[in-house]
Amino acid sequence: MGATRVQTLDTTRRAAPEPAHPPARAFASNRALSRREMIGAPVRWPRPSRLEAPLGLPVGRMAEGMAALGLQTVGELLEHLPRDSREARTVAALRPGEQATVAVQVQAIGMRPVRRRGMRPLVQARVFDATGSMGATFFNQPWLVQRYPPGTRLLLHGKADAKGGFRVSHHAVGAERSPADRGADGARGGQGPGARAGAPDAASRDSPVGEGGLREPVDCAQTGAVAHYPAAEGVTSTQILTLVQGARGALNDMTEALAAEVRVTEGLPDRASALAAMHFPRNAHDSETGRGRLAFEELLLTQLVFLRRRARRRARTDAPVLDEEPSLSARWLDGGLPFALTGDQRRAIETIRGDLEQPRAMQRLLIGEVGSGKTVVALYAMLRAVEHGHQAALMAPTETLAEQHFATLQRLIGAEPVAAGLLTGSVPARRREDVLGKLASGELSLVVGTHALIEPDVRFRALAVAVVDEQHRFGVRQRAALDGKGTPHTLHMTATPIPRTLALAGYGDLDASTLRELPAGRQAIDTRVVAGDGERARAYDELREQLRTGRQAYVVCPLVEEAGAAADGRTPAGARGARPEVGQRAATAELRRLREGELQGYELVLLHGGMPPREKQQAMAAFASGKADVLVATTVIEVGIDVPNAAVMLVENAERFGLSQLHQLRGRVGRGEHRASCLLVASSAPTGSARLRAMVQNADGFRLAEIDLRLRREGDLVGTRQSGLSQFQVACLPEDADLLERARAWAEAIIAEDPELRAPEHALLGEALRLRFGAEALLPIPA
Ligand code: ADP
Ligand code: MG
């Protein structure tokens, strides 16, 4: 709250400048404002209720299109942000063949019949702007002759042809603009009186999109950029822009959620200006400034929700305190482990030990590189519960993984007398009854399972530690459901190795520990792209060579059945775009082919999500015991499978998989002391090549996660949800990591000072939270 903040954004102060302060100046100039000018400056009284006014579009395709986009009110329209802005061209600057948007005026318009049968007459117009004129052609819309009489201002999007003409694909009415409106542009960062949108007149406020409804003109020759909106059937981006222009006056009714202190310190424009800058940019810089401001707000709101949630949780002190001297866990750490812990594992274990001694429930995210040994850390936490006479549960996303964890735990526990049970969907009813009974009585200390663990009839006598493996596979509800079974300390494990900063974005309410270090002696995995028949043949040579020396191998395919059958429906994060397609190798068919072909004489087994549980178990058991040499599978093996003797991972149609999936798959090999390789067989899809190259060049999952995010933004979005980073409408990660850090810092400061957001300067922030996240976001934090 220093003197620097006096450079006022606060309209009430402006009218009475104190001589000690620098004088208020006209926008973008050095000229001091006179007292009369200041008194005459428009005063803004936002009336947010007006943003709820319906757009009032005439019934028709356009209204349907807008409804499909979720745009029914003025406020929704103004919050519909452009995807990007297109460079607007002047007529003189158009190049043949170029797609462009121009703002022009109609000079003459007429119809020309078309000879071909069934075609409607063409509409041809002569249009001009300040730089020149050209012929514009509209197809199939004869009525435009009446609608666009000479003098009409138009926004045209289309393609310039070689003969100096313009083929129109989208068009909308532009608008008249009075020079006086120019200064009210609002797209300049919002510092000062000029940045406020012009004083709206009563008529336009009441009917923001009336009669052609456009108060602000489109003046692309000067703005240099035209906003480009996500559109829908029935309504084009250009038409949306026209509507936004009509509703522009309503920007004055936007409330400002950010306190002036935040805006000034961060150098951010106010909300209305930011929106104006995005809708009506003069250049790319305007759009980005506006976007940055809105992204900051979005990130701040999410961090506030996380921190409030955390504060509420921390206020509860009913978690079991696990602070006795270690016995079982110490014996296990000192003598029971077949290896020495890595430094990261030791640090994570120490931290968790501290967490468990507290009466408030641990909520920790364990971010671990694939193969970094998260299971050991989890088992430590679980054994701490057991040695205090409490219970522990581990929930995994698939049955295969749950079974494997169960086997691993039993092996790791070794000779210790700890009663453990398994609970999955395919455990027979009688066994299930038995397990449920023993969990309720406390006879079972440890339980491993799938979603089956969170069903309502599963009761624990004293659940003290819950572990959620591969937690990104579970929904928020499912993750939290174990909480309902007591107040357990919870460890969330993820192998989507995201940098700590980004973890804040998805899991900002959790504490985080990272296992970056891999156990000593791990070999680098030789990763190669295999393309063409010659390389494929050599890849099989290599695979057979490994099998001959006693190693095992995985062959992964994106589909279960041959083209024509459905994809592996049990794996929600399955192969990307796994449409039946010629050339895709289905696991089942590939197994048959390899048995008779390249891998004749070796023992092959099949594993995919559609198999009955029993068969899956048998297949996994055969591979884990070394009885089977090769596991031909879909991505069910993507997570968690741990067979140290496996040394080759061959992925068919590798370009069909996401980067984090490929990294997960690669992580299945190189777990023992053997030399391992990952062979990425590419069919000819150029889109996949950037991912495959990234795989060859990077072994570090954290780095790959960043690359993945970047690539996903450029292309498809399959599976982005999992990472928890795509929940944002405006913010863009990892690019906005810096904004995120700053938003987090502000959120921490705000919550520390005013956890209930009761202070007047936080009231609108609270309102924004309620609007975006519901009343729940403002539940009181117990003192
Ligand atoms: P992830 O973090 O991918 O879940 P796991 O917990 O499955 O990794 O561990 C991978 C493999 O590494 C397992 O075979 C495990 O026994 C082994 N392992 C774990 N920690 C160590 C260690 N400190 N030294 C050697 N091997 C280890
Ligand atoms: Mg694991």
Side-chain angles (χ1 to χ4, degrees):
M1 298 256 152
T4 50
R5 280 185 54 245
V6 176
Q7 292 291 18
T8 180
L9 286 175
D10 184 344
T11 37
T12 55
R13 285 195 205 156
R14 207 183 307 130
E18 285 160 16
H21 299 306
R25 298 186 191 282
F27 181 75
S29 92
N30 280 328
R31 188 173 64 79
L33 288 169
S34 72
R35 189 171 156 72
R36 253 187 71 206
E37 280 175 304
M38 285 191 280
I39 289 172
V43 179
R44 194 155 73 97
W45 299 102
R47 292 250 315 255
S49 61
R50 284 201 252 237
L51 296 169
E52 283 156 36
L55 284 173
L57 297 170
V59 176
R61 285 187 63 219
M62 184 162 160
E64 281 166 29
M66 292 293 281
L69 290 168
L71 307 179
Q72 317 245 31
T73 67
V74 174
E76 284 162 357
L77 174 66
L78 290 174
E79 300 277 350
H80 186 64
L81 298 179
R83 190 184 291 137
D84 55 50
S85 57
R86 288 175 177 170
E87 184 89 354
R89 291 284 156 138
T90 57
V91 169
L94 283 174
R95 282 185 295 270
E98 180 184 46
Q99 288 274 354
T101 301
V102 289
V104 293
Q105 201 168 347
V106 178
Q107 186 178 359
I109 191 160
M111 204 128 58
R112 201 188 73 194
V114 182
R115 287 277 172 70
R116 202 132 15 100
R117 270 207 305 162
M119 290 249 316
R120 306 215 217 185
L122 292 178
V123 169
Q124 287 198 308
R126 181 130 292 267
V127 299
F128 67 97
D129 67 5
T131 67
S133 77
M134 65 178 179
T137 312
F138 302 82
F139 299 90
N140 263 322
Q141 304 155 86
W143 56 85
L144 294 181
V145 173
Q146 267 76 46
R147 201 194 290 172
Y148 296 158
T152 312
R153 284 174 182 273
L154 290 178
L155 259 189
L156 304 179
H157 183 76
K159 196 167 176 180
D161 66 27
K163 287 171 264 157
F166 194 79
R167 299 162 67 92
V168 179
S169 53
H170 303 311
H171 50 91
V173 181
E176 298 303 328
R177 110 178 304 195
S178 66
D181 287 43
R182 201 54 208 154
D185 209 298
R188 298 199 177 87
Q191 316 258 339
R196 312 221 166 267
D201 60 55
S204 85
R205 292 200 127 196
D206 291 337
S207 125
V209 193
E211 271 306 277
L214 304 172
R215 297 184 54 257
E216 298 286 334
V218 194
D219 194 346
C220 305
Q222 284 185 47
T223 59
V226 173
H228 180 221
Y229 297 88
E233 179 140 355
V235 56
T236 65
S237 164
T238 321
Q239 287 167 323
I240 293 173
L241 177 56
T242 307
L243 294 174
V244 173
Q245 281 163 350
R248 185 175 187 162
L251 282 175
N252 294 311
D253 290 320
M254 292 276 166
T255 53
E256 176 54 62
L258 300 185
E261 182 186 10
V262 178
R263 274 190 289 136
V264 172
T265 313
E266 295 295 328
L268 298 168
D270 64 42
R271 178 160 235 285
S273 302
L275 284 169
M278 289 200 77
H279 289 305
F280 318 112
R282 289 167 306 180
N283 49 47
H285 179 71
D286 274 356
S287 311
E288 183 46 32
T289 306
R291 193 201 65 82
R293 141 72 213 228
L294 298 173
F296 178 89
E297 180 177 324
E298 184 174 44
L299 293 166
L300 178 69
L301 291 177
T302 23
Q303 291 306 312
L304 283 171
V305 168
F306 282 141
L307 290 173
R308 285 182 50 84
R309 197 183 295 159
R310 184 160 95 173
R312 258 203 318 279
R313 209 168 49 217
R314 287 195 163 172
R316 287 177 55 182
T317 50
D318 51 352
V321 173
L322 308 179
D323 61 354
E324 285 167 30
E325 274 304 302
S327 49
L328 169 61
S329 66
R331 280 203 300 282
W332 175 70
L333 280 184
D334 294 342
L337 277 174
F339 43 70
L341 294 175
T342 67
D344 281 349
Q345 281 173 322
R346 257 184 286 118
R347 275 184 288 278
I349 282 176
E350 258 324 294
T351 311
I352 289 169
R353 180 177 165 180
D355 289 346
L356 300 180
E357 287 172 357
Q358 302 299 319
R360 51 167 208 242
M362 168 177 81
Q363 286 288 344
R364 183 166 292 280
L365 180 68
L366 184 61
I367 308 169
E369 172 66 289
V370 184
S372 58
K374 292 184 288 292
T375 316
V376 171
V377 177
L379 185 55
Y380 168 80
M382 296 169 80
L383 292 181
R384 276 303 271 160
V386 174
E387 67 196 1
H388 284 81
H390 293 281
Q391 292 168 298
L394 190 162
M395 181 163 76
T398 65
E399 290 194 3
T400 311
L401 197 52
E403 280 153 17
Q404 182 194 287
H405 271 315
F406 185 58
T408 307
L409 292 194
Q410 286 184 317
R411 200 178 62 235
L412 281 174
I413 294 167
E416 296 289 351
V418 179
L422 178 71
L423 194 64
T424 67
S426 58
V427 168
R430 289 274 287 279
R431 273 220 58 123
R432 183 167 186 279
E433 283 309 306
D434 182 50
V435 171
L436 291 194
K438 287 178 173 166
L439 283 176
S441 71
E443 223 174 302
L444 274 181
S445 302
L446 285 185
V447 65
V448 178
T450 55
H451 308 90
L453 281 176
I454 55 179
E455 275 161 28
D457 56 344
V458 180
R459 286 191 203 89
F460 292 86
R461 191 183 65 81
L463 181 63
V465 168
V467 178
V468 185
D469 193 20
E470 308 295 344
Q471 56 81 43
H472 63 280
R473 291 274 179 131
F474 294 100
V476 178
R477 282 247 166 69
Q478 293 171 321
R479 251 182 273 156
L482 279 169
D483 281 354
K485 304 196 180 286
T487 313
H489 298 282
T490 306
L491 185 66
H492 307 263
M493 302 204 287
T494 182
T496 304
I498 45 180
R500 207 197 73 88
T501 316
L502 298 188
L504 282 179
Y507 317 103
D509 57 334
L510 307 180
D511 300 311
S513 294
T514 304
L515 302 186
R516 206 170 180 138
E517 198 180 335
L518 292 181
R522 288 281 160 81
Q523 316 267 337
I525 300 161
D526 181 16
T527 304
R528 267 165 298 144
V529 176
V530 176
D533 290 344
E535 285 183 30
R536 176 185 277 277
R538 277 196 297 283
Y540 284 117
D541 286 343
E542 181 177 335
L543 200 156
R544 279 192 300 265
E545 179 60 38
Q546 287 269 23
L547 297 181
R548 260 198 297 279
T549 59
R551 301 287 78 75
Q552 290 165 281
Y554 298 99
V555 173
V556 175
C557 304
L559 282 182
V560 186
E561 298 290 342
E562 278 293 17
D568 189 340
R570 300 281 295 267
T571 50
R576 48 180 55 215
R579 269 169 278 113
E581 220 167 80
V582 184
Q584 279 204 41
R585 285 165 191 269
T588 312
E590 185 65 2
L591 177 89
R592 258 181 265 130
R593 197 186 70 78
L594 288 172
R595 256 187 198 148
E596 274 138 44
E598 284 95 341
L599 300 182
Q600 209 173 20
Y602 290 101
E603 188 62 31
L604 275 58
V605 283
L606 180 70
L607 181 69
H608 63 71
M611 281 163 44
R614 257 192 82 86
E615 287 180 28
K616 276 197 271 186
Q617 277 163 17
Q618 284 164 354
M620 256 328 284
F623 191 68
S625 68
K627 208 162 107 289
D629 302 302
V630 180
L631 186 70
V632 181
T634 57
T635 50
V636 281
I637 66 155
E638 174 195 335
V639 290
I641 302 257
D642 185 28
V643 177
N645 190 45
V648 181
M649 166 64 64
L650 187 146
V651 185
E652 290 285 354
N653 300 98
E655 73 287 344
R656 298 223 138 240
F657 295 88
L659 204 40
S660 60
Q661 273 183 313
L662 289 174
H663 184 61
Q664 281 283 329
L665 287 171
R666 176 166 63 183
R668 300 307 113 210
V669 297
R671 300 192 144 226
E673 70 272 28
H674 314 291
R675 180 179 62 84
S677 50
C678 174
L679 306 170
L680 304 172
V681 183
S683 27
S684 57
T687 46
S689 58
R691 286 199 293 275
L692 300 189
R693 256 200 320 278
M695 282 293 292
V696 171
Q697 288 163 3
N698 297 279
D700 179 1
F702 288 85
R703 178 87 195 96
L704 281 170
E706 283 182 7
I707 296 174
D708 193 29
L709 277 166
R710 197 152 5 96
L711 292 178
R712 279 169 197 224
R713 295 226 163 264
E714 289 162 17
D716 53 349
L717 286 161
V718 181
T720 322
R721 284 250 165 72
Q722 307 174 36
S723 62
L725 299 179
S726 64
Q727 53 178 325
F728 301 107
Q729 287 152 19
V730 195
C732 189
L733 291 165
E735 291 84 347
D736 285 335
D738 186 43
L739 271 185
L740 172 61
E741 292 271 15
R742 278 149 55 201
R744 172 77 174 193
W746 276 107
E748 277 169 0
I750 291 169
I751 293 295
E753 185 189 310
D754 180 21
E756 301 291 340
L757 303 177
R758 287 222 182 90
E761 67 267 34
H762 297 146
L764 290 173
L765 204 50
E767 181 59 15
L769 277 185
R770 194 188 57 77
L771 274 179
R772 179 153 178 164
F773 298 100
E776 234 172 88
L778 290 171
L779 287 179
I781 295 168

